[in-house]
Amino acid sequence: METPTSPTQPSDESNLRKQILAIQQDKSIPDSEKARRIQQLMAGQFGSKLMKTGPGTAKTIPIYNEVGMIRAEEQSPMYHDEDNKVFGCKHYMRSVKLQSHCCGKWVVCRFCHDEVSDHAIIRQKTKLMMCMKCYHIQPCSQYCSNEGCGVKVSRYYCNECKLWDDDPKKNIYHCYDCGICRIGKGLGQDYFHCKKCNVCMAIGLKDRHKCIERNLESDCPICGEYMFTSTTTVIFMPCGHCIHHKCYQEHIQTSYTCPTCCKSLGNMTEYFLRIEAALRQHQMPPEYANHVSLLFCNDCEARSLATYHFMYHKCSADIEVTETAIDPTTGQPTERKSVKSCGSFNTKLLSTFSRGSDEYLVAERMLASIAREKAAANALAASTAAAAAAATAAASPTTTTAAAGAQQQQPPIDD
């Protein structure tokens, strides 16, 4: 039997679509701001869905306190470190309690609320706080508004996220592109925000990472937790995909490939050499001598043919590599491109057939066609690069003068 839908559900979804459409059609808003606003709308919609027991069935959340009201047992202070009288909870150091917008309970933080509730708090909707030193209820702020108290309730406070933290060892900053607070000294110091990946990364990865659009807005491939708002450390693998650091450490105990795209997680040359030595010791029976396999290489993403084996198959596709060497004449590092065989054993078997069969001939023609297309694309890229270099060389005197002039300019003084 189908569950009847709530009469308000279509209206809510229709309003949400209208708001998103209005944001997308507003040409005065930059794309990054559009993404942030739509993300906030969707986050609010998701939070409201957490308060549903089923499709369209609204769950009644009992109200523990009315707005601004508090029970006597809730006034008692909570401690992060009771021995040293450090206010807070096991999650945060802070001298405040906040009133949850959903049920009216007074808790130290959102985690404390969600651990004991059957619904989730939306912390951005928090309006009131209580100073645990004077028990004064007031609007959210970094300072107690009670004239007799006036204490600074936390070293860090974000009015956007309603986040307080008094830990002296912790640096926190708010990223307006992400829409949340993150651990770190700040953008331009130890982190930067990649617009395409839509995530803050260590500044050492700037111009050195593989961009994947909205990369962090996904679940951890191991534990399934949504990583964008995760409080657990997230790292980026060489292929560009992200994963919890703890999950990564556990994963590499049994695998050397990315759990998302299956690319190798490091330089596997030595490991592949050991596989090659093992294959030499395990010769195939004579009846398989004429068998050939069509492979897909997870590392170079090319197809190739290899002699069939029970254990592993080696990619024989040609790949272009760039090597850096020191020019003996100038002493400066120069890049040299060369072509070599991939040699990866991180491959997937697509099909197996006899050498000389119809399937074998079809596979050979397919690989030859792919090689011709790749060669044509490389030739076009080379000619384009040569034309760009010639244009740059022709304009170099003007460019040099302009650059020299720009270097002589002083930064403006902020009055």
Side-chain angles (χ1 to χ4, degrees), residues 269-281 312 314 343 345:
T269 303
E270 292 186 8
Y271 178 67
F272 291 156
L273 288 175
R274 291 200 296 270
I275 291 178
E276 202 159 13
L279 293 182
R280 287 196 294 268
Q281 295 176 2
Y312 292 95
K314 183 178 181 179
F345 281 95

Side-chain angles (χ1 to χ4, degrees), residues 92-150:
Y92 293 104
M93 295 181 187
R94 54 175 65 169
S95 301
V96 297
K97 287 186 177 181
L98 57 92
Q99 186 177 32
S100 54
H101 74 285
C102 44
C103 57
K105 288 183 179 179
W106 289 87
V107 292
V108 179
C109 76
R110 64 186 180 100
F111 296 113
C112 295
H113 173 276
D114 294 351
E115 285 174 0
V116 297
S117 304
D118 59 355
H119 58 278
I121 192 174
I122 302 176
R123 62 184 179 186
Q124 289 85 352
K125 293 187 177 182
T126 303
K127 302 297 182 185
L128 297 177
M129 73 175 195
M130 182 201 75
C131 174
M132 283 197 280
K133 293 188 177 181
C134 69
Y135 312 120
H136 179 59
I137 296 175
Q138 57 201 286
C140 296
S141 175
Q142 190 172 11
Y143 293 87
C144 177
S145 61
N146 183 3
E147 293 181 358
C149 179

Side-chain angles (χ1 to χ4, degrees), residues 243-318:
I243 186 174
H244 285 134
H245 181 259
K246 182 180 178 181
C247 296
Y248 175 80
Q249 294 297 329
E250 294 174 357
H251 174 69
I252 60 175
Q253 302 303 315
T254 56
S255 176
Y256 66 89
T257 62
C258 168
T260 302
C261 67
C262 295
K263 288 186 181 295
S264 297
L265 293 173
N267 187 343
M268 306 304 298
T269 303
E270 292 186 8
Y271 178 67
F272 291 156
L273 288 175
R274 291 200 296 270
I275 291 178
E276 202 159 13
L279 293 182
R280 287 196 294 268
Q281 295 176 2
H282 295 80
Q283 297 295 325
M284 293 292 290
E287 56 266 32
Y288 289 97
N290 203 36
H291 282 60
V292 180
S293 296
L294 178 64
L295 317 172
F296 175 79
C297 178
N298 292 317
D299 286 335
C300 71
E301 301 181 4
R303 288 175 172 82
S304 62
L305 296 173
T307 302
Y308 176 72
H309 200 281
F310 291 146
M311 298 170 61
Y312 292 95
H313 295 88
K314 183 178 181 179
C315 174
S316 59
D318 290 335

Side-chain angles (χ1 to χ4, degrees), residues 93-237:
M93 295 181 187
R94 54 175 65 169
S95 301
V96 297
K97 287 186 177 181
L98 57 92
Q99 186 177 32
S100 54
H101 74 285
C102 44
C103 57
K105 288 183 179 179
W106 289 87
V107 292
V108 179
C109 76
R110 64 186 180 100
F111 296 113
C112 295
H113 173 276
D114 294 351
E115 285 174 0
V116 297
S117 304
D118 59 355
H119 58 278
I121 192 174
I122 302 176
R123 62 184 179 186
Q124 289 85 352
K125 293 187 177 182
T126 303
K127 302 297 182 185
L128 297 177
M129 73 175 195
M130 182 201 75
C131 174
M132 283 197 280
K133 293 188 177 181
C134 69
Y135 312 120
H136 179 59
I137 296 175
Q138 57 201 286
C140 296
S141 175
Q142 190 172 11
Y143 293 87
C144 177
S145 61
N146 183 3
E147 293 181 358
C149 179
V151 69
K152 187 177 182 180
V153 295
S154 65
R155 286 176 172 82
Y156 177 83
Y157 170 68
C158 175
N159 194 50
E160 299 285 334
C161 299
K162 298 300 187 291
L163 174 65
W164 295 263
D165 200 309
D166 202 35
D167 190 344
K169 298 179 181 178
K170 191 187 294 182
N171 293 309
I172 309 175
Y173 70 95
H174 181 85
C175 175
Y176 286 93
D177 289 317
C178 289
I180 58 176
C181 292
R182 297 195 179 277
I183 299 292
K185 294 180 180 179
L187 298 176
Q189 297 183 59
D190 54 353
Y191 285 90
F192 78 101
H193 185 90
C194 176
K195 299 289 186 180
K196 184 174 182 179
C197 297
N198 193 32
V199 64
C200 291
M201 297 183 179
I203 202 162
L205 293 175
K206 193 170 186 178
D207 301 325
R208 294 178 56 194
H209 70 282
K210 183 178 180 180
C211 281
I212 299 177
E213 192 167 357
R214 310 186 80 82
N215 193 2
L216 209 61
E217 296 176 38
S218 59
D219 298 334
C220 174
I222 302 299
C223 71
E225 182 187 359
Y226 187 59
M227 290 184 288
F228 189 82
T229 54
S230 174
T231 56
T232 307
T233 303
V234 175
I235 62 171
F236 295 86
M237 294 174 283

